[in-house]
Amino acid sequence: MENDGFIVIEGIHKNPNNIETLDEKTKKVHGPFKRKQAEVLAKSLIQKNVDNFYHRAWVIKEGLEINNICEECRKEEESVKQNLIMHGYKICYSCNLAKTIFPI
Ligand SMILES: [Zn+2]
């Protein structure tokens, strides 16, 4: 089940490295998909818009708010958003480390 329920968000960003700068008017949400499908779609969207520097597509677990609250320990930490964008999970650095060492 862990690989289900991923969405792809695409749109124009003020800063293409920061999902929070996405322009709501250009925002399109696709899915939910299985994680692999979502990644394939995000890649194709990025390729299709390769000429537009400000266009980005992100793969995100469905139903997650974009903030820095860790889903495991509920602490707020800067690394949570980075992990969300990179791995699709809202998890802080220390919980992620614990999960890597002791996989659930
Ligand atoms: Zn945590």
Side-chain angles (χ1 to χ4, degrees):
M1 279 308 281
E2 233 195 19
N3 283 321
D4 285 339
F6 283 83
I7 57 169
V8 177
I9 298 175
E10 65 163 322
I12 308 299
H13 297 67
K14 282 197 183 73
N15 171 0
N17 293 315
N18 184 352
I19 190 168
E20 288 188 316
T21 66
L22 171 65
D23 182 350
E24 284 291 324
K25 287 190 291 269
T26 67
K27 179 174 162 185
K28 260 189 248 164
V29 180
H30 309 269
F33 307 102
K34 285 198 165 44
R35 180 169 192 154
K36 267 271 163 300
Q37 288 174 283
E39 281 170 357
V40 169
L41 176 64
K43 232 175 249 167
S44 77
L45 289 170
I46 290 167
Q47 270 159 15
K48 211 165 69 187
N49 294 282
V50 74
D51 295 334
N52 187 342
F53 177 75
Y54 296 100
H55 181 278
R56 277 272 337 230
W58 310 87
V59 175
I60 304 252
K61 193 125 174 61
E62 194 190 14
L64 291 185
E65 273 183 81
I66 297 156
N67 57 30
N68 275 325
I69 313 281
C70 172
E71 289 248 293
E72 298 280 324
C73 65
R74 299 268 149 208
K75 273 190 229 145
E76 192 165 357
E77 217 206 82
E78 196 54 45
S79 58
V80 173
K81 215 184 294 163
Q82 283 157 23
N83 278 326
L84 174 63
I85 285 159
M86 273 168 53
H87 310 297
Y89 299 109
K90 277 180 77 180
I91 193 164
C92 71
Y93 178 76
S94 31
C95 290
N96 193 29
L97 202 66
K99 248 195 164 148
T100 315
I101 299 167
F102 309 105
I104 296 160

